[in-house]
Amino acid sequence: MKNLFSVLRSDQVADDLIQVIETIVDASKEIAFRVRQGALAGVLGSTQDENIQGETQKHLDIISNQLLKDLLLACPAVAAIASEEEDTVVAGTSTGKYLVAFDPLDGSSNIDINGQIGTIFSIYRSQDLIPHGSELQFQQTGSQQVCAGYVLYGPSTLLAITTGKGTRCFTLDSTQGIFLLTADLIQLAPQTQEFAINTSNARFWSEDMRAYIDDLVLGETGPRQKRFNMRWNAAMVGDVHRVLTRSGIFLYPSDSRNPKQPAKLRLLYEANPMALLIENAGGKAWSESQRILDIQPQQLHERVAVILGSADEVDECLSYLRR
Ligand code: AFP
Protein backbone atom coordinates (compact mmCIF):
# COMPACT_ATOMS: atom_id res chain seq x y z
CA MET A 1 0.00 0.00 0.00
CA LYS A 2 1.22 3.49 -0.85
CA ASN A 3 2.04 5.84 2.02
CA LEU A 4 0.97 9.48 2.22
CA PHE A 5 4.29 11.01 1.31
CA SER A 6 4.93 8.80 -1.73
CA VAL A 7 1.47 9.84 -3.04
CA LEU A 8 2.19 13.54 -2.40
CA ARG A 9 5.53 13.25 -4.21
CA SER A 10 3.95 11.42 -7.16
CA ASP A 11 1.48 14.35 -7.35
CA GLN A 12 4.50 16.69 -7.58
CA VAL A 13 3.54 18.50 -4.35
CA ALA A 14 6.28 21.01 -3.45
CA ASP A 15 8.75 19.81 -0.79
CA ASP A 16 8.02 22.74 1.55
CA LEU A 17 4.27 22.09 1.33
CA ILE A 18 4.94 18.41 2.12
CA GLN A 19 6.89 19.67 5.15
CA VAL A 20 3.81 21.61 6.36
CA ILE A 21 1.52 18.59 5.80
CA GLU A 22 4.03 16.37 7.65
CA THR A 23 3.93 18.79 10.59
CA ILE A 24 0.12 18.64 10.73
CA VAL A 25 0.26 14.84 10.49
CA ASP A 26 2.80 14.66 13.35
CA ALA A 27 0.55 16.80 15.58
CA SER A 28 -2.51 14.73 14.65
CA LYS A 29 -0.77 11.48 15.65
CA GLU A 30 -0.06 13.01 19.05
CA ILE A 31 -3.69 14.13 19.34
CA ALA A 32 -4.90 10.68 18.28
CA PHE A 33 -2.88 9.13 21.11
CA ARG A 34 -4.47 11.44 23.70
CA VAL A 35 -7.95 10.91 22.29
CA ARG A 36 -7.48 7.11 22.54
CA GLN A 37 -6.26 7.46 26.13
CA GLY A 38 -9.38 9.56 26.97
CA ALA A 39 -10.14 9.58 30.68
CA LEU A 40 -6.90 7.71 31.38
CA ALA A 41 -4.95 10.71 30.09
CA GLY A 42 -7.05 13.14 32.12
CA VAL A 43 -8.04 15.01 28.96
CA LEU A 44 -11.82 14.81 29.20
CA GLY A 45 -14.16 17.46 30.52
CA SER A 46 -14.33 21.23 30.14
CA THR A 47 -12.17 24.12 31.32
CA GLN A 48 -13.56 27.27 32.93
CA ASP A 49 -12.58 29.24 29.81
CA GLU A 50 -14.43 30.36 26.69
CA ASN A 51 -12.91 30.88 23.24
CA ILE A 52 -13.60 33.86 20.95
CA GLN A 53 -16.62 31.94 19.65
CA GLY A 54 -18.12 32.12 23.16
CA GLU A 55 -17.83 28.33 23.46
CA THR A 56 -16.62 26.60 26.63
CA GLN A 57 -13.22 25.07 25.86
CA LYS A 58 -12.66 21.38 26.52
CA HIS A 59 -9.30 20.28 27.90
CA LEU A 60 -8.67 18.40 24.66
CA ASP A 61 -9.45 21.54 22.61
CA ILE A 62 -6.65 23.35 24.42
CA ILE A 63 -4.19 20.46 24.22
CA SER A 64 -4.87 19.89 20.50
CA ASN A 65 -4.59 23.58 19.71
CA GLN A 66 -1.30 23.89 21.59
CA LEU A 67 0.19 20.82 19.86
CA LEU A 68 -0.66 22.13 16.38
CA LYS A 69 0.38 25.70 17.24
CA ASP A 70 3.78 24.70 18.69
CA LEU A 71 4.70 22.35 15.84
CA LEU A 72 3.49 24.64 13.03
CA LEU A 73 5.14 27.77 14.42
CA ALA A 74 8.40 25.82 14.62
CA CYS A 75 8.12 24.87 10.92
CA PRO A 76 10.19 27.30 8.78
CA ALA A 77 7.67 27.00 5.91
CA VAL A 78 4.78 28.41 8.00
CA ALA A 79 4.32 32.21 7.91
CA ALA A 80 1.25 32.28 10.17
CA ILE A 81 -1.55 30.22 11.67
CA ALA A 82 -5.21 30.87 12.47
CA SER A 83 -7.20 28.63 14.79
CA GLU A 84 -10.76 28.35 16.09
CA GLU A 85 -9.17 28.52 19.56
CA GLU A 86 -7.06 31.65 18.89
CA ASP A 87 -8.58 35.15 18.96
CA THR A 88 -6.39 36.28 16.09
CA VAL A 89 -3.63 35.23 13.71
CA VAL A 90 -0.35 34.02 15.26
CA ALA A 91 2.75 34.97 13.25
CA GLY A 92 5.31 32.28 12.39
CA THR A 93 8.43 32.55 10.22
CA SER A 94 8.49 35.78 8.17
CA THR A 95 10.01 33.94 5.21
CA GLY A 96 7.48 31.11 5.40
CA LYS A 97 5.50 30.48 2.20
CA TYR A 98 2.35 28.96 3.75
CA LEU A 99 -0.54 29.89 6.01
CA VAL A 100 -2.39 27.22 8.01
CA ALA A 101 -5.91 27.60 9.39
CA PHE A 102 -7.34 24.85 11.56
CA ASP A 103 -10.08 23.70 13.87
CA PRO A 104 -7.90 21.69 16.24
CA LEU A 105 -10.74 19.55 17.53
CA ASP A 106 -14.04 19.70 15.66
CA GLY A 107 -16.96 18.06 17.43
CA SER A 108 -15.76 18.87 20.96
CA SER A 109 -19.20 18.08 22.37
CA ASN A 110 -18.52 14.46 21.34
CA ILE A 111 -15.29 14.12 23.35
CA ASP A 112 -16.85 13.01 26.64
CA ILE A 113 -19.19 10.52 24.93
CA ASN A 114 -16.42 8.81 22.96
CA GLY A 115 -17.97 10.09 19.74
CA GLN A 116 -16.31 11.04 16.46
CA ILE A 117 -14.06 14.13 16.63
CA GLY A 118 -11.39 15.44 14.30
CA THR A 119 -8.87 18.07 13.23
CA ILE A 120 -9.76 20.14 10.14
CA PHE A 121 -7.00 22.03 8.31
CA SER A 122 -6.64 24.42 5.37
CA ILE A 123 -3.39 25.64 3.77
CA TYR A 124 -2.86 28.78 1.63
CA ARG A 125 0.19 30.44 0.07
CA SER A 126 1.26 33.49 2.06
CA GLN A 127 0.80 36.80 0.20
CA ASP A 128 3.72 39.11 -0.61
CA LEU A 129 3.44 42.81 0.32
CA ILE A 130 1.29 41.99 3.42
CA PRO A 131 2.90 41.53 6.87
CA HIS A 132 3.15 37.76 7.43
CA GLY A 133 1.21 37.93 10.71
CA SER A 134 -1.63 40.12 9.43
CA GLU A 135 -5.25 38.89 9.38
CA LEU A 136 -5.31 40.19 5.78
CA GLN A 137 -3.17 37.17 4.85
CA PHE A 138 -6.20 34.94 5.43
CA GLN A 139 -8.61 37.02 3.36
CA GLN A 140 -8.28 34.62 0.44
CA THR A 141 -11.16 32.73 -1.16
CA GLY A 142 -11.39 29.00 -0.48
CA SER A 143 -10.55 28.31 -4.14
CA GLN A 144 -7.03 29.59 -3.36
CA GLN A 145 -6.33 26.78 -0.87
CA VAL A 146 -3.31 24.70 -1.91
CA CYS A 147 -4.28 21.86 0.45
CA ALA A 148 -7.22 20.94 2.68
CA GLY A 149 -8.04 17.95 4.83
CA TYR A 150 -9.11 16.48 8.13
CA VAL A 151 -7.94 13.81 10.53
CA LEU A 152 -10.85 11.80 11.94
CA TYR A 153 -10.25 10.24 15.36
CA GLY A 154 -12.63 7.29 15.20
CA PRO A 155 -12.29 3.48 15.42
CA SER A 156 -9.53 4.12 12.86
CA THR A 157 -7.53 7.31 12.60
CA LEU A 158 -8.17 8.53 9.06
CA LEU A 159 -6.72 11.37 6.99
CA ALA A 160 -8.77 12.79 4.11
CA ILE A 161 -6.72 15.21 2.01
CA THR A 162 -6.64 17.06 -1.31
CA THR A 163 -3.87 19.11 -2.90
CA GLY A 164 -5.96 19.79 -5.99
CA LYS A 165 -5.61 16.44 -7.77
CA GLY A 166 -8.59 14.61 -6.31
CA THR A 167 -9.56 13.67 -2.76
CA ARG A 168 -7.98 10.66 -1.09
CA CYS A 169 -8.30 8.91 2.28
CA PHE A 170 -5.46 7.35 4.27
CA THR A 171 -5.60 5.12 7.35
CA LEU A 172 -3.06 5.37 10.16
CA ASP A 173 -1.13 2.13 10.60
CA SER A 174 -0.40 2.69 14.26
CA THR A 175 2.17 -0.14 14.36
CA GLN A 176 4.38 1.81 11.90
CA GLY A 177 3.03 5.30 12.66
CA ILE A 178 2.36 6.01 8.96
CA PHE A 179 -0.76 6.85 6.95
CA LEU A 180 -1.44 4.33 4.17
CA LEU A 181 -3.66 4.98 1.12
CA THR A 182 -7.03 3.24 1.59
CA ALA A 183 -9.35 5.24 -0.71
CA ASP A 184 -7.91 6.70 -3.91
CA LEU A 185 -9.58 9.51 -5.92
CA ILE A 186 -12.97 9.39 -4.16
CA GLN A 187 -16.00 10.10 -6.38
CA LEU A 188 -19.36 11.06 -4.89
CA ALA A 189 -22.53 9.71 -6.54
CA PRO A 190 -24.57 12.67 -7.89
CA GLN A 191 -27.72 11.43 -6.13
CA THR A 192 -28.32 10.17 -2.63
CA GLN A 193 -30.92 8.96 -0.15
CA GLU A 194 -29.16 10.15 3.00
CA PHE A 195 -29.24 13.60 4.57
CA ALA A 196 -27.62 15.10 7.66
CA ILE A 197 -29.09 18.07 9.50
CA ASN A 198 -29.89 19.01 13.12
CA THR A 199 -33.69 18.89 12.80
CA SER A 200 -34.17 20.34 16.31
CA ASN A 201 -33.49 23.73 14.68
CA ALA A 202 -36.33 23.34 12.13
CA ARG A 203 -38.53 26.09 13.62
CA PHE A 204 -35.64 28.54 13.17
CA TRP A 205 -34.97 27.78 9.46
CA SER A 206 -36.32 29.71 6.47
CA GLU A 207 -39.68 28.49 5.13
CA ASP A 208 -38.01 27.21 1.96
CA MET A 209 -35.42 25.16 3.88
CA ARG A 210 -38.22 23.71 6.02
CA ALA A 211 -40.11 22.78 2.85
CA TYR A 212 -37.02 21.03 1.44
CA ILE A 213 -36.45 18.96 4.59
CA ASP A 214 -40.20 18.23 4.95
CA ASP A 215 -40.18 16.71 1.45
CA LEU A 216 -37.16 14.53 2.32
CA VAL A 217 -39.08 13.27 5.38
CA LEU A 218 -42.22 12.62 3.27
CA GLY A 219 -40.03 10.29 1.17
CA GLU A 220 -41.93 8.11 -1.30
CA THR A 221 -45.25 9.58 -0.08
CA GLY A 222 -44.24 13.11 -1.09
CA PRO A 223 -43.00 14.97 -4.20
CA ARG A 224 -39.52 13.40 -4.06
CA GLN A 225 -41.11 9.93 -4.48
CA LYS A 226 -38.19 8.09 -2.84
CA ARG A 227 -37.25 7.02 0.69
CA PHE A 228 -34.60 9.11 2.54
CA ASN A 229 -32.66 8.27 5.69
CA MET A 230 -31.10 10.70 8.20
CA ARG A 231 -27.85 10.68 10.16
CA TRP A 232 -26.45 13.43 12.45
CA ASN A 233 -23.01 13.10 14.11
CA ALA A 234 -22.94 16.63 15.61
CA ALA A 235 -19.35 16.73 14.38
CA MET A 236 -18.95 18.09 10.85
CA VAL A 237 -15.82 15.99 10.40
CA GLY A 238 -17.80 12.78 10.99
CA ASP A 239 -20.75 13.81 8.84
CA VAL A 240 -18.55 14.92 5.95
CA HIS A 241 -16.57 11.68 6.18
CA ARG A 242 -19.81 9.71 5.80
CA VAL A 243 -20.67 11.81 2.72
CA LEU A 244 -17.21 11.16 1.24
CA THR A 245 -17.59 7.45 2.03
CA ARG A 246 -21.13 6.76 0.75
CA SER A 247 -22.37 10.09 -0.71
CA GLY A 248 -25.19 12.13 0.88
CA ILE A 249 -26.00 15.73 1.69
CA PHE A 250 -24.90 17.63 4.82
CA LEU A 251 -26.66 20.84 5.81
CA TYR A 252 -26.14 23.46 8.49
CA PRO A 253 -28.46 26.23 7.22
CA SER A 254 -28.78 29.73 8.60
CA ASP A 255 -31.35 30.06 11.37
CA SER A 256 -33.05 32.75 13.45
CA ARG A 257 -31.95 31.57 16.90
CA ASN A 258 -29.48 34.45 17.21
CA PRO A 259 -30.04 37.35 14.78
CA LYS A 260 -26.43 38.45 15.37
CA GLN A 261 -25.18 34.99 14.35
CA PRO A 262 -27.42 33.55 11.60
CA ALA A 263 -24.97 30.75 10.76
CA LYS A 264 -22.91 28.40 12.94
CA LEU A 265 -20.08 26.89 10.89
CA ARG A 266 -16.88 28.84 10.34
CA LEU A 267 -15.82 29.67 6.79
CA LEU A 268 -12.04 29.62 7.20
CA TYR A 269 -11.40 26.31 8.99
CA GLU A 270 -14.62 24.33 8.55
CA ALA A 271 -16.59 25.25 5.42
CA ASN A 272 -13.71 26.04 3.04
CA PRO A 273 -11.54 22.95 3.64
CA MET A 274 -14.59 20.65 3.53
CA ALA A 275 -15.83 22.38 0.37
CA LEU A 276 -12.50 21.74 -1.40
CA LEU A 277 -12.50 18.06 -0.36
CA ILE A 278 -16.10 17.62 -1.55
CA GLU A 279 -15.63 19.46 -4.88
CA ASN A 280 -12.44 17.51 -5.62
CA ALA A 281 -14.53 14.36 -5.08
CA GLY A 282 -17.09 15.51 -7.67
CA GLY A 283 -19.59 17.01 -5.19
CA LYS A 284 -20.90 20.53 -4.60
CA ALA A 285 -20.55 22.90 -1.63
CA TRP A 286 -22.69 26.04 -1.36
CA SER A 287 -23.86 28.47 1.24
CA GLU A 288 -27.53 29.39 0.68
CA SER A 289 -26.60 31.85 -2.02
CA GLN A 290 -23.17 31.08 -3.51
CA ARG A 291 -20.42 28.52 -4.02
CA ILE A 292 -18.49 28.40 -0.74
CA LEU A 293 -15.08 28.46 -2.43
CA ASP A 294 -15.98 31.78 -4.12
CA ILE A 295 -16.83 33.61 -0.87
CA GLN A 296 -14.48 36.53 -0.21
CA PRO A 297 -13.74 36.37 3.56
CA GLN A 298 -14.15 39.60 5.57
CA GLN A 299 -13.55 38.41 9.15
CA LEU A 300 -11.21 35.70 10.46
CA HIS A 301 -13.92 33.77 12.33
CA GLU A 302 -16.86 34.56 10.08
CA ARG A 303 -19.61 31.97 9.81
CA VAL A 304 -21.50 30.66 6.82
CA ALA A 305 -24.44 28.40 6.03
CA VAL A 306 -23.29 25.07 4.54
CA ILE A 307 -25.03 22.77 2.04
CA LEU A 308 -22.60 20.17 0.66
CA GLY A 309 -22.42 16.69 -0.83
CA SER A 310 -23.90 14.85 -3.82
CA ALA A 311 -24.15 17.40 -6.63
CA ASP A 312 -27.71 16.70 -7.84
CA GLU A 313 -29.09 16.75 -4.28
CA VAL A 314 -27.34 20.05 -3.49
CA ASP A 315 -28.91 21.46 -6.68
CA GLU A 316 -32.34 20.14 -5.60
CA CYS A 317 -32.00 21.84 -2.20
CA LEU A 318 -30.91 25.13 -3.84
CA SER A 319 -33.93 24.95 -6.18
CA TYR A 320 -36.20 25.15 -3.10
CA LEU A 321 -34.27 28.18 -1.80
CA ARG A 322 -34.65 29.95 -5.14
CA ARG A 323 -38.44 29.55 -5.27
P1 AFP B 1 -18.42 21.65 18.62
O1 AFP B 1 -17.00 21.55 18.16
O2 AFP B 1 -18.66 22.80 19.56
O3 AFP B 1 -18.96 20.35 19.15
O4 AFP B 1 -19.30 22.03 17.35
C1 AFP B 1 -19.19 21.17 16.25
C2 AFP B 1 -19.78 21.92 15.07
O5 AFP B 1 -19.09 23.11 14.89
C3 AFP B 1 -19.75 21.06 13.81
O6 AFP B 1 -18.69 20.18 13.78
C4 AFP B 1 -21.08 20.33 13.85
O7 AFP B 1 -21.58 19.99 12.57
C5 AFP B 1 -21.99 21.35 14.51
O8 AFP B 1 -21.15 22.20 15.32
C6 AFP B 1 -23.00 20.70 15.40
O9 AFP B 1 -23.81 21.73 15.87
P2 AFP B 1 -25.08 21.35 16.77
O10 AFP B 1 -24.49 20.97 18.11
O11 AFP B 1 -25.88 22.63 16.83
O12 AFP B 1 -25.81 20.22 16.11
Side-chain angles (χ1 to χ4, degrees):
M1 293 174 113
K2 293 179 188 169
N3 70 53
L4 171 64
F5 297 108
S6 62
V7 170
L8 293 175
R9 282 190 202 96
S10 65
D11 277 354
Q12 282 102 39
V13 176
D15 286 347
D16 49 9
L17 178 51
I18 291 179
Q19 187 185 16
V20 178
I21 295 168
E22 202 161 30
T23 303
I24 294 168
V25 162
D26 288 346
S28 70
K29 287 191 281 192
E30 191 56 43
I31 295 168
F33 173 73
R34 281 169 166 74
V35 167
R36 270 199 315 278
Q37 289 295 97
L40 301 178
V43 296
L44 302 186
S46 302
T47 67
Q48 301 300 315
D49 305 319
E50 276 192 357
N51 61 17
I52 189 169
Q53 329 281 343
E55 296 160 344
T56 302
Q57 292 178 304
K58 304 279 189 183
H59 290 297
L60 212 45
D61 280 326
I62 305 291
I63 293 166
S64 306
N65 185 62
Q66 199 61 49
L67 276 166
L68 281 156
K69 189 174 162 184
D70 291 346
L71 288 180
L72 284 168
L73 294 179
C75 176
V78 174
I81 64 157
S83 164
E84 179 189 32
E85 303 303 336
E86 298 288 332
D87 292 0
T88 186
V89 170
V90 183
T93 307
S94 59
T95 53
K97 284 200 294 187
Y98 299 99
L99 310 168
V100 184
F102 55 87
D103 180 351
L105 211 64
D106 176 61
S108 306
S109 50
N110 283 352
I111 292 173
D112 297 349
I113 59 165
N114 204 34
Q116 282 190 322
I117 48 182
T119 297
I120 307 173
F121 61 90
S122 170
I123 307 176
Y124 293 86
R125 289 293 299 261
S126 58
Q127 300 180 70
D128 299 331
L129 310 179
I130 298 177
H132 71 287
S134 163
E135 284 199 8
L136 294 176
Q137 284 283 357
F138 287 88
Q139 290 191 2
Q140 301 183 49
T141 60
S143 53
Q144 293 171 277
Q145 295 173 91
V146 293
C147 175
Y150 57 77
V151 180
L152 179 60
Y153 309 112
S156 306
T157 298
L158 302 179
L159 167 70
I161 188 168
T162 181
T163 55
K165 295 177 181 155
T167 294
R168 297 185 174 94
C169 189
F170 297 79
T171 301
L172 180 64
D173 173 352
S174 47
T175 56
Q176 302 181 68
I178 56 173
F179 278 100
L180 298 175
L181 181 63
T182 43
D184 199 2
L185 300 180
I186 295 168
Q187 275 302 311
L188 293 189
Q191 302 189 349
T192 181
Q193 289 182 258
E194 194 159 63
F195 69 99
I197 194 166
N198 182 342
T199 45
S200 68
N201 296 327
R203 65 185 182 283
F204 302 113
W205 299 333
S206 71
E207 204 174 306
D208 293 336
M209 180 55 77
R210 258 201 309 276
Y212 168 68
I213 299 296
D214 287 349
D215 286 350
L216 297 183
V217 172
L218 283 174
E220 65 277 26
T221 67
R224 301 299 306 274
Q225 295 185 314
K226 73 176 187 179
R227 173 73 59 90
F228 284 86
N229 192 22
M230 195 196 96
R231 285 284 182 276
W232 186 248
N233 260 26
M236 187 183 196
V237 66
D239 284 309
V240 170
H241 187 69
R242 187 188 52 256
V243 170
L244 279 176
T245 305
R246 61 187 193 211
S247 300
I249 184 169
F250 166 88
L251 306 101
Y252 210 111
S254 58
D255 65 57
S256 59
R257 280 176 292 175
N258 175 356
K260 289 183 188 157
Q261 183 181 302
K264 174 163 189 184
L265 301 183
R266 275 63 50 131
L267 176 63
L268 182 62
Y269 37 78
E270 290 176 323
N272 268 336
M274 294 308 199
L276 194 66
L277 288 164
I278 290 290
E279 285 204 0
N280 286 349
K284 276 194 167 183
W286 275 58
S287 67
E288 286 156 338
S289 56
Q290 65 182 110
R291 180 177 174 248
I292 286 174
L293 295 179
D294 290 338
I295 296 174
Q296 178 55 53
Q298 305 296 328
Q299 303 290 331
L300 198 63
H301 297 289
E302 73 181 74
R303 299 167 187 262
V304 67
V306 176
I307 303 166
L308 62 77
S310 296
D312 292 357
E313 194 53 43
V314 169
D315 284 341
E316 182 68 26
C317 175
L318 294 172
S319 72
Y320 278 70
L321 305 186
R322 292 177 185 139
R323 282 177 172 177

